[in-house]
Amino acid sequence: MNRWLACVAAILLSACASAPSGTRERELTTADASSVVPVQVGDVLVVRLAANVSTGFAWAWDEPAAAGVLVQAGEPAMSGVDATGVGSGGTQTWRFRIAKPGNAQLRLEYRRPWEQGTPPAQTVSWQIQAR
């Protein structure tokens, strides 16, 4: 029984540590691209975009456009990929924390990393207004 309580306590503590008190999450998709996104310092933006990494394409963050207002929170993750089907797509999820007040552009480009000098296949961006 003590071991069970220790496991429950560890899970609860890790959940509390992962999201600071007062942190808000806001999901962004291509449907609201090009919009102005008002946020507060400490908020987290969760960006979910369709991707097919089996083709070599993946979303890449244009970090200089973020002007230090945004900080990437962890590595991007893929979900919904059918492992049995070659060429099947899924969803790539990015997380960004608002680090300081200011205006910045959150811009992601869908490209093959080895194709330098080639325009991205797709670009999506939002105007971030952090207070």
Side-chain angles (χ1 to χ4, degrees), residues 9-103:
I11 291 169
L12 291 174
L13 286 173
S14 68
C16 292
S18 65
S21 176
T23 298
R24 296 180 311 156
E25 283 194 355
R26 176 152 183 197
E27 185 170 325
L28 301 175
T29 65
T30 55
D32 53 14
S34 301
S35 65
V36 175
V37 181
V39 291
Q40 302 291 320
V41 172
D43 287 356
V44 174
L45 298 174
V46 180
V47 180
R48 298 182 203 287
L49 300 168
N52 189 340
V53 295
S54 70
T55 62
F57 282 92
W59 289 97
W61 179 36
D62 182 5
E63 188 173 355
V69 172
L70 303 169
V71 175
Q72 186 175 335
E75 293 299 315
M78 282 297 298
S79 61
V81 177
D82 178 6
T84 62
V86 175
S88 64
T91 301
Q92 192 172 32
T93 302
W94 291 74
R95 298 175 69 81
F96 301 94
R97 185 178 49 80
I98 308 304
K100 67 179 187 178
N103 295 321

Coordinates of all heavy atoms in Angstrom, one line a residue, residues 9-103:
A9 N 1.7 9.8 -5.4 CA 2.3 11.1 -5.0 C 3.3 11.6 -6.1 O 3.3 12.8 -6.4 CB 3.0 11.0 -3.6
A10 N 4.0 10.7 -6.6 CA 5.0 11.0 -7.6 C 4.3 11.5 -8.9 O 4.7 12.5 -9.5 CB 5.9 9.9 -8.0
I11 N 3.2 10.9 -9.3 CA 2.5 11.3 -10.5 C 1.9 12.7 -10.2 O 1.9 13.6 -11.1 CB 1.4 10.3 -10.8 CG1 2.0 9.0 -11.3 CG2 0.4 10.8 -11.8 CD1 1.1 7.8 -11.4
L12 N 1.3 12.9 -9.1 CA 0.7 14.2 -8.8 C 1.7 15.3 -8.8 O 1.5 16.4 -9.3 CB -0.1 14.2 -7.5 CG -1.4 13.3 -7.5 CD1 -2.0 13.2 -6.1 CD2 -2.4 13.9 -8.5
L13 N 2.9 15.1 -8.2 CA 3.9 16.1 -8.1 C 4.4 16.4 -9.5 O 4.7 17.6 -9.8 CB 5.1 15.6 -7.2 CG 4.8 15.7 -5.7 CD1 5.9 15.0 -4.9 CD2 4.5 17.1 -5.2
S14 N 4.6 15.4 -10.3 CA 5.1 15.6 -11.7 C 4.1 16.4 -12.5 O 4.5 17.3 -13.3 CB 5.5 14.4 -12.4 OG 4.4 13.6 -12.7
A15 N 2.8 16.2 -12.3 CA 1.8 16.9 -13.0 C 1.8 18.4 -12.6 O 1.7 19.3 -13.4 CB 0.4 16.3 -12.8
C16 N 2.0 18.6 -11.3 CA 2.0 20.0 -10.8 C 3.3 20.7 -11.3 O 3.2 21.9 -11.6 CB 2.0 20.0 -9.3 SG 0.4 19.5 -8.6
A17 N 4.4 20.0 -11.4 CA 5.6 20.7 -11.8 C 5.6 21.0 -13.3 O 6.3 21.9 -13.8 CB 6.8 19.7 -11.5
S18 N 4.9 20.3 -14.1 CA 4.9 20.5 -15.6 C 4.1 21.7 -16.0 O 4.4 22.2 -17.1 CB 4.4 19.2 -16.3 OG 3.0 19.0 -16.0
A19 N 3.2 22.2 -15.3 CA 2.4 23.3 -15.6 C 2.3 24.3 -14.5 O 1.6 24.1 -13.5 CB 1.0 22.9 -16.0
P20 N 3.1 25.4 -14.5 CA 3.1 26.3 -13.4 C 1.7 26.9 -13.2 O 0.9 27.0 -14.1 CB 4.1 27.4 -13.9 CG 4.9 26.8 -14.9 CD 4.0 25.7 -15.5
S21 N 1.4 27.2 -11.9 CA 0.1 27.8 -11.6 C -0.1 29.0 -12.5 O 0.7 29.9 -12.6 CB 0.1 28.2 -10.1 OG -1.1 28.8 -9.8
G22 N -1.3 29.1 -13.0 CA -1.7 30.3 -13.8 C -1.3 30.1 -15.3 O -1.6 31.0 -16.1
T23 N -0.6 29.1 -15.7 CA -0.2 28.9 -17.1 C -1.4 28.5 -17.9 O -2.2 27.7 -17.5 CB 0.8 27.8 -17.2 OG1 2.0 28.2 -16.5 CG2 1.2 27.6 -18.6
R24 N -1.6 29.3 -19.0 CA -2.7 28.9 -19.9 C -2.1 28.4 -21.2 O -1.1 28.8 -21.6 CB -3.5 30.2 -20.2 CG -4.2 30.8 -19.1 CD -4.9 32.1 -19.5 NE -4.1 33.0 -20.3 CZ -4.5 33.9 -21.2 NH1 -5.8 34.0 -21.3 NH2 -3.7 34.6 -21.8
E25 N -2.8 27.4 -21.7 CA -2.4 26.8 -23.0 C -3.4 27.3 -24.1 O -4.6 27.4 -23.8 CB -2.4 25.3 -23.0 CG -1.2 24.7 -22.3 CD -1.1 23.2 -22.6 OE1 -1.9 22.6 -23.2 OE2 -0.1 22.7 -22.1
R26 N -2.9 27.6 -25.3 CA -3.8 28.0 -26.4 C -3.3 27.2 -27.6 O -2.2 27.2 -27.9 CB -3.6 29.5 -26.6 CG -4.4 29.9 -27.8 CD -4.8 31.4 -27.8 NE -5.6 31.7 -28.9 CZ -5.8 32.9 -29.3 NH1 -5.3 33.9 -28.6 NH2 -6.6 33.1 -30.3
E27 N -4.3 26.6 -28.2 CA -4.0 25.8 -29.4 C -4.1 26.6 -30.7 O -5.1 27.4 -30.8 CB -4.9 24.6 -29.5 CG -4.6 23.6 -30.6 CD -5.3 22.3 -30.6 OE1 -5.6 21.8 -29.5 OE2 -5.6 21.8 -31.7
L28 N -3.1 26.5 -31.6 CA -3.1 27.2 -32.9 C -3.1 26.1 -34.0 O -2.4 25.1 -33.9 CB -1.9 28.1 -33.0 CG -1.8 29.2 -31.9 CD1 -0.4 29.9 -32.2 CD2 -2.9 30.1 -32.0
T29 N -3.9 26.4 -35.0 CA -3.9 25.5 -36.2 C -3.9 26.4 -37.4 O -3.9 27.6 -37.4 CB -5.2 24.6 -36.2 OG1 -6.3 25.5 -36.4 CG2 -5.3 23.8 -35.0
T30 N -3.8 25.7 -38.6 CA -3.8 26.5 -39.9 C -5.1 27.3 -40.0 O -5.2 28.2 -40.7 CB -3.6 25.6 -41.1 OG1 -4.6 24.5 -41.0 CG2 -2.2 25.0 -41.1
A31 N -6.2 26.8 -39.4 CA -7.5 27.5 -39.5 C -7.4 29.0 -39.0 O -8.1 29.8 -39.5 CB -8.6 26.8 -38.7
D32 N -6.6 29.2 -38.0 CA -6.4 30.6 -37.4 C -5.1 31.2 -37.8 O -4.7 32.2 -37.2 CB -6.7 30.6 -35.9 CG -5.8 29.6 -35.2 OD1 -4.8 29.1 -35.8 OD2 -6.1 29.4 -34.0
A33 N -4.4 30.7 -38.8 CA -3.2 31.3 -39.3 C -3.4 32.7 -39.7 O -4.5 33.1 -40.2 CB -2.6 30.4 -40.4
S34 N -2.3 33.5 -39.6 CA -2.3 34.9 -40.0 C -3.1 35.8 -39.0 O -3.2 37.0 -39.3 CB -2.8 35.1 -41.4 OG -2.0 34.4 -42.4
S35 N -3.6 35.2 -38.0 CA -4.3 36.1 -37.0 C -3.4 36.6 -35.9 O -2.3 36.2 -35.8 CB -5.4 35.2 -36.4 OG -4.9 34.2 -35.6
V36 N -3.9 37.6 -35.2 CA -3.2 38.2 -34.1 C -3.6 37.4 -32.9 O -4.8 37.1 -32.6 CB -3.6 39.7 -33.9 CG1 -2.9 40.2 -32.7 CG2 -3.2 40.5 -35.1
V37 N -2.6 37.0 -32.1 CA -2.8 36.1 -31.0 C -2.3 36.8 -29.7 O -1.1 36.9 -29.5 CB -2.0 34.8 -31.1 CG1 -2.3 33.9 -29.9 CG2 -2.4 34.1 -32.4
P38 N -3.3 37.3 -28.9 CA -2.9 38.0 -27.7 C -2.6 37.0 -26.6 O -3.4 36.0 -26.4 CB -4.1 38.9 -27.3 CG -5.3 38.2 -28.0 CD -4.7 37.5 -29.2
V39 N -1.5 37.1 -25.9 CA -1.1 36.1 -24.9 C -0.4 36.8 -23.7 O -0.1 38.0 -23.8 CB -0.2 35.0 -25.4 CG1 -0.9 34.1 -26.4 CG2 1.1 35.6 -26.1
Q40 N -0.2 36.1 -22.6 CA 0.5 36.6 -21.5 C 1.8 35.9 -21.3 O 1.9 34.7 -21.7 CB -0.4 36.4 -20.2 CG -1.7 37.0 -20.2 CD -1.6 38.5 -20.2 OE1 -0.8 39.1 -19.5 NE2 -2.5 39.2 -21.0
V41 N 2.8 36.6 -20.7 CA 4.1 35.9 -20.4 C 3.8 34.7 -19.5 O 3.0 34.7 -18.6 CB 5.0 36.9 -19.7 CG1 6.3 36.1 -19.2 CG2 5.4 38.0 -20.6
G42 N 4.4 33.6 -19.9 CA 4.2 32.3 -19.2 C 3.2 31.4 -19.9 O 3.2 30.2 -19.6
D43 N 2.3 31.9 -20.7 CA 1.4 31.1 -21.5 C 2.1 30.1 -22.4 O 3.3 30.4 -22.7 CB 0.4 31.9 -22.3 CG -0.6 32.7 -21.5 OD1 -0.7 32.5 -20.3 OD2 -1.3 33.5 -22.1
V44 N 1.5 29.1 -22.8 CA 2.0 28.1 -23.8 C 1.2 28.0 -25.0 O -0.1 27.9 -24.9 CB 2.2 26.7 -23.1 CG1 2.6 25.7 -24.1 CG2 3.1 26.8 -21.9
L45 N 1.8 28.1 -26.2 CA 1.1 27.9 -27.4 C 1.4 26.5 -27.9 O 2.5 26.0 -27.9 CB 1.6 28.9 -28.5 CG 1.4 30.4 -28.1 CD1 2.1 31.3 -29.2 CD2 -0.1 30.7 -28.0
V46 N 0.3 25.8 -28.3 CA 0.4 24.4 -28.8 C 0.0 24.5 -30.2 O -1.2 24.8 -30.5 CB -0.5 23.5 -28.0 CG1 -0.4 22.1 -28.5 CG2 -0.1 23.5 -26.5
V47 N 0.9 24.2 -31.1 CA 0.6 24.2 -32.6 C 0.5 22.8 -33.1 O 1.5 22.0 -33.0 CB 1.7 25.0 -33.3 CG1 1.5 25.1 -34.8 CG2 1.9 26.4 -32.7
R48 N -0.6 22.5 -33.7 CA -0.8 21.2 -34.3 C -1.0 21.3 -35.8 O -1.9 22.0 -36.3 CB -2.0 20.5 -33.7 CG -1.9 20.3 -32.2 CD -3.1 19.5 -31.7 NE -3.3 19.8 -30.3 CZ -2.6 19.2 -29.3 NH1 -1.6 18.4 -29.6 NH2 -2.8 19.5 -28.0
L49 N -0.1 20.7 -36.6 CA -0.1 20.8 -38.1 C 0.0 19.4 -38.7 O 0.7 18.6 -38.3 CB 1.1 21.7 -38.5 CG 1.1 23.1 -37.9 CD1 2.4 23.7 -38.2 CD2 0.0 23.9 -38.5
A50 N -0.7 19.3 -39.8 CA -0.7 18.0 -40.6 C 0.7 17.9 -41.2 O 1.3 18.9 -41.7 CB -1.7 18.0 -41.7
A51 N 1.3 16.7 -41.1 CA 2.6 16.4 -41.6 C 2.7 15.0 -42.1 O 2.1 14.1 -41.6 CB 3.7 16.7 -40.6
N52 N 3.6 14.8 -43.1 CA 3.9 13.4 -43.5 C 5.4 13.3 -43.6 O 6.0 13.5 -44.6 CB 3.2 13.2 -44.9 CG 3.3 11.8 -45.3 OD1 4.2 11.0 -44.8 ND2 2.5 11.3 -46.3
V53 N 6.0 12.9 -42.5 CA 7.4 12.9 -42.4 C 8.0 11.7 -43.2 O 9.2 11.8 -43.5 CB 7.9 12.7 -40.9 CG1 7.6 14.0 -40.1 CG2 7.3 11.5 -40.3
S54 N 7.2 10.8 -43.7 CA 7.8 9.7 -44.5 C 8.2 10.2 -45.9 O 8.9 9.6 -46.6 CB 6.7 8.6 -44.7 OG 5.6 9.0 -45.5
T55 N 7.8 11.4 -46.3 CA 8.1 12.1 -47.5 C 9.4 12.9 -47.4 O 9.9 13.5 -48.4 CB 7.0 13.0 -48.0 OG1 6.8 14.0 -47.1 CG2 5.7 12.2 -48.3
G56 N 9.9 13.0 -46.2 CA 11.1 13.8 -45.9 C 10.7 15.3 -45.5 O 11.5 16.0 -45.0
F57 N 9.4 15.6 -45.6 CA 9.0 16.9 -45.2 C 8.7 16.9 -43.7 O 8.2 16.0 -43.1 CB 7.7 17.4 -45.9 CG 7.9 17.8 -47.3 CD1 7.9 16.9 -48.4 CD2 8.2 19.2 -47.6 CE1 8.1 17.4 -49.7 CE2 8.5 19.6 -48.9 CZ 8.4 18.7 -49.9
A58 N 9.0 18.0 -43.0 CA 8.6 18.3 -41.6 C 8.6 19.8 -41.4 O 9.1 20.6 -42.2 CB 9.7 17.6 -40.7
W59 N 7.9 20.1 -40.4 CA 7.8 21.6 -40.0 C 9.0 22.0 -39.3 O 9.6 21.3 -38.5 CB 6.5 21.8 -39.1 CG 5.3 21.6 -39.9 CD1 4.5 20.5 -40.0 CD2 4.7 22.6 -40.8 NE1 3.4 20.8 -40.8 CE2 3.5 22.0 -41.3 CE3 5.0 23.9 -41.1 CZ2 2.6 22.7 -42.2 CZ3 4.1 24.6 -42.0 CH2 3.0 24.0 -42.5
A60 N 9.5 23.2 -39.7 CA 10.7 23.8 -39.1 C 10.3 25.2 -38.6 O 9.7 25.9 -39.3 CB 11.8 23.9 -40.1
W61 N 10.8 25.5 -37.4 CA 10.5 26.8 -36.8 C 11.5 27.8 -37.3 O 12.7 27.6 -37.2 CB 10.6 26.6 -35.2 CG 10.3 27.9 -34.5 CD1 9.5 28.9 -34.8 CD2 11.0 28.3 -33.2 NE1 9.5 29.8 -33.8 CE2 10.4 29.5 -32.9 CE3 11.9 27.7 -32.4 CZ2 10.8 30.1 -31.7 CZ3 12.3 28.3 -31.3 CH2 11.7 29.5 -30.9
D62 N 11.0 29.0 -37.7 CA 11.8 30.1 -38.0 C 12.0 30.9 -36.8 O 11.3 31.9 -36.5 CB 11.0 31.0 -39.1 CG 11.8 32.2 -39.5 OD1 13.0 32.3 -39.1 OD2 11.3 33.0 -40.3
E63 N 13.0 30.5 -36.0 CA 13.3 31.0 -34.7 C 13.6 32.5 -34.7 O 13.1 33.3 -33.8 CB 14.4 30.3 -34.0 CG 14.6 30.7 -32.5 CD 15.6 29.8 -31.8 OE1 16.1 28.8 -32.4 OE2 15.9 30.1 -30.7
P64 N 14.4 33.1 -35.6 CA 14.7 34.5 -35.6 C 13.4 35.4 -35.6 O 13.4 36.5 -35.1 CB 15.6 34.7 -36.8 CG 16.2 33.4 -37.0 CD 15.2 32.4 -36.6
A65 N 12.3 34.9 -36.3 CA 11.1 35.7 -36.4 C 10.4 35.8 -35.0 O 9.6 36.7 -34.8 CB 10.1 35.1 -37.4
A66 N 10.8 35.0 -34.1 CA 10.1 35.0 -32.8 C 10.7 36.1 -31.9 O 10.1 36.4 -30.8 CB 10.3 33.6 -32.1
A67 N 11.8 36.7 -32.2 CA 12.4 37.8 -31.5 C 12.6 37.6 -30.0 O 12.6 38.5 -29.2 CB 11.6 39.1 -31.8
G68 N 12.8 36.3 -29.6 CA 13.1 36.1 -28.2 C 11.8 36.1 -27.4 O 11.8 35.8 -26.2
V69 N 10.7 36.4 -28.0 CA 9.4 36.4 -27.2 C 8.9 35.0 -27.0 O 8.4 34.7 -25.9 CB 8.3 37.2 -28.0 CG1 6.9 37.1 -27.4 CG2 8.7 38.7 -28.1
L70 N 9.2 34.1 -27.9 CA 8.8 32.7 -27.8 C 10.0 31.8 -27.6 O 11.1 32.1 -28.1 CB 8.2 32.3 -29.1 CG 6.9 33.0 -29.6 CD1 6.6 32.6 -31.0 CD2 5.8 32.8 -28.6
V71 N 9.9 30.8 -26.8 CA 10.9 29.8 -26.5 C 10.3 28.5 -26.8 O 9.2 28.2 -26.3 CB 11.4 29.9 -25.1 CG1 12.4 28.8 -24.8 CG2 12.0 31.3 -24.8
Q72 N 11.0 27.6 -27.6 CA 10.5 26.3 -27.9 C 10.5 25.5 -26.6 O 11.5 25.5 -25.8 CB 11.3 25.6 -28.9 CG 10.8 24.3 -29.3 CD 11.6 23.7 -30.5 OE1 12.3 24.4 -31.2 NE2 11.6 22.3 -30.6
A73 N 9.4 24.8 -26.3 CA 9.2 24.0 -25.1 C 9.2 22.6 -25.5 O 8.2 22.0 -25.8 CB 7.9 24.4 -24.3
G74 N 10.4 21.9 -25.4 CA 10.5 20.5 -25.8 C 10.6 20.3 -27.3 O 10.6 21.3 -28.1
E75 N 10.8 19.1 -27.7 CA 10.9 18.8 -29.1 C 9.5 18.6 -29.7 O 8.6 18.1 -29.1 CB 11.7 17.5 -29.3 CG 13.2 17.7 -28.8 CD 13.9 18.7 -29.7 OE1 13.8 18.7 -30.9 OE2 14.6 19.5 -29.1
P76 N 9.4 18.8 -31.0 CA 8.1 18.5 -31.7 C 7.8 17.0 -31.7 O 8.7 16.2 -31.7 CB 8.3 19.0 -33.1 CG 9.8 19.3 -33.3 CD 10.4 19.4 -31.9
A77 N 6.5 16.7 -31.6 CA 6.1 15.3 -31.5 C 5.2 15.0 -32.7 O 4.4 15.8 -33.1 CB 5.4 15.0 -30.2
M78 N 5.3 13.7 -33.1 CA 4.4 13.2 -34.2 C 3.3 12.3 -33.5 O 3.7 11.5 -32.6 CB 5.1 12.4 -35.2 CG 5.9 13.3 -36.3 SD 4.8 14.3 -37.3 CE 3.8 13.1 -38.2
S79 N 2.1 12.4 -34.0 CA 1.0 11.5 -33.5 C 0.1 11.2 -34.7 O 0.1 11.9 -35.7 CB 0.2 12.2 -32.4 OG -0.4 13.3 -32.9
G80 N -0.6 10.1 -34.5 CA -1.6 9.7 -35.6 C -1.0 9.1 -36.8 O -1.7 9.0 -37.8
V81 N 0.3 8.7 -36.7 CA 0.9 8.1 -37.9 C 0.6 6.6 -37.9 O 0.7 5.9 -36.9 CB 2.4 8.3 -37.8 CG1 3.1 7.6 -39.0 CG2 2.8 9.8 -37.8
D82 N 0.2 6.1 -39.1 CA -0.1 4.7 -39.2 C 1.2 4.0 -39.6 O 1.7 4.1 -40.7 CB -1.1 4.5 -40.3 CG -1.4 3.0 -40.6 OD1 -0.9 2.1 -39.9 OD2 -2.1 2.7 -41.6
A83 N 1.8 3.3 -38.6 CA 3.1 2.6 -38.8 C 3.1 1.5 -39.8 O 4.1 1.1 -40.3 CB 3.6 2.0 -37.4
T84 N 1.9 1.0 -40.2 CA 1.8 -0.1 -41.2 C 1.8 0.4 -42.6 O 2.0 -0.3 -43.5 CB 0.6 -1.0 -40.9 OG1 -0.6 -0.2 -41.1 CG2 0.6 -1.6 -39.5
G85 N 1.4 1.7 -42.8 CA 1.3 2.2 -44.2 C 2.4 3.2 -44.5 O 2.5 4.2 -43.9
V86 N 3.1 2.8 -45.6 CA 4.2 3.7 -46.1 C 3.5 4.9 -46.7 O 2.5 4.8 -47.4 CB 5.1 3.0 -47.1 CG1 6.0 4.0 -47.7 CG2 5.8 1.8 -46.5
G87 N 4.0 6.1 -46.3 CA 3.4 7.3 -46.9 C 2.3 7.9 -46.1 O 1.7 8.9 -46.5
S88 N 2.0 7.3 -44.9 CA 0.8 7.8 -44.1 C 1.3 9.0 -43.3 O 2.4 9.1 -42.8 CB 0.3 6.7 -43.2 OG 1.2 6.4 -42.3
G89 N 0.4 10.0 -43.2 CA 0.7 11.2 -42.5 C 0.2 11.2 -41.1 O -0.3 10.2 -40.6
G90 N 0.3 12.3 -40.4 CA -0.1 12.4 -39.0 C -0.1 13.9 -38.7 O -0.3 14.7 -39.5
T91 N 0.1 14.1 -37.4 CA 0.0 15.5 -36.9 C 1.3 15.8 -36.1 O 1.7 15.0 -35.3 CB -1.2 15.7 -35.9 OG1 -2.4 15.4 -36.6 CG2 -1.2 17.1 -35.4
Q92 N 2.0 16.9 -36.5 CA 3.2 17.3 -35.8 C 2.8 18.4 -34.8 O 2.1 19.3 -35.2 CB 4.2 17.8 -36.7 CG 5.6 18.0 -36.1 CD 6.7 18.3 -37.2 OE1 6.4 18.9 -38.2 NE2 7.9 17.8 -36.9
T93 N 3.2 18.2 -33.5 CA 2.8 19.2 -32.5 C 4.0 19.9 -31.9 O 5.0 19.2 -31.6 CB 2.1 18.4 -31.3 OG1 0.9 17.8 -31.9 CG2 1.6 19.4 -30.2
W94 N 3.9 21.2 -31.9 CA 5.0 22.0 -31.3 C 4.4 22.8 -30.1 O 3.3 23.1 -30.1 CB 5.4 23.1 -32.4 CG 6.1 22.6 -33.6 CD1 5.6 21.9 -34.6 CD2 7.5 22.7 -33.8 NE1 6.6 21.6 -35.5 CE2 7.8 22.1 -35.1 CE3 8.6 23.3 -33.2 CZ2 9.0 22.0 -35.6 CZ3 9.8 23.2 -33.7 CH2 10.0 22.6 -35.0
R95 N 5.3 23.0 -29.1 CA 4.9 23.8 -28.0 C 5.9 25.0 -27.8 O 7.1 24.8 -27.9 CB 4.9 22.9 -26.7 CG 3.9 21.8 -26.8 CD 4.0 20.8 -25.6 NE 3.6 21.4 -24.4 CZ 2.3 21.5 -24.0 NH1 1.4 21.1 -24.8 NH2 2.0 22.1 -22.8
F96 N 5.3 26.2 -27.5 CA 6.1 27.4 -27.3 C 5.7 28.1 -26.1 O 4.5 28.2 -25.9 CB 6.0 28.3 -28.5 CG 6.4 27.7 -29.8 CD1 5.5 27.1 -30.7 CD2 7.8 27.7 -30.2 CE1 5.9 26.5 -31.9 CE2 8.2 27.2 -31.4 CZ 7.2 26.6 -32.2
R97 N 6.6 28.5 -25.3 CA 6.3 29.2 -24.1 C 6.6 30.7 -24.3 O 7.5 31.1 -25.0 CB 7.2 28.8 -22.9 CG 6.9 29.4 -21.6 CD 7.7 28.9 -20.4 NE 9.2 28.9 -20.7 CZ 10.0 29.9 -20.7 NH1 9.5 31.1 -20.3 NH2 11.3 29.8 -20.9
I98 N 5.7 31.6 -23.8 CA 5.9 33.0 -24.0 C 6.9 33.5 -22.9 O 6.6 33.4 -21.7 CB 4.5 33.8 -23.8 CG1 3.5 33.2 -24.8 CG2 4.7 35.3 -24.1 CD1 3.8 33.1 -26.2
A99 N 8.0 33.9 -23.4 CA 9.2 34.2 -22.5 C 9.2 35.6 -22.0 O 9.7 35.9 -20.9 CB 10.5 33.8 -23.1
K100 N 8.7 36.6 -22.8 CA 8.8 38.0 -22.4 C 7.8 38.8 -23.2 O 7.3 38.3 -24.2 CB 10.2 38.5 -22.7 CG 10.6 38.6 -24.1 CD 12.0 39.2 -24.3 CE 12.3 39.5 -25.8 NZ 13.6 40.1 -25.9
P101 N 7.4 40.0 -22.7 CA 6.5 40.8 -23.4 C 7.1 41.3 -24.8 O 8.3 41.4 -24.9 CB 6.2 42.0 -22.5 CG 6.8 41.6 -21.2 CD 7.8 40.6 -21.5
G102 N 6.2 41.5 -25.7 CA 6.6 42.0 -27.0 C 5.8 41.5 -28.1 O 4.9 40.7 -27.9
N103 N 6.1 41.9 -29.4 CA 5.4 41.4 -30.6 C 6.4 40.6 -31.4 O 7.6 41.0 -31.5 CB 4.9 42.6 -31.4 CG 3.9 43.4 -30.7 OD1 3.0 42.9 -30.0 ND2 3.9 44.7 -30.8

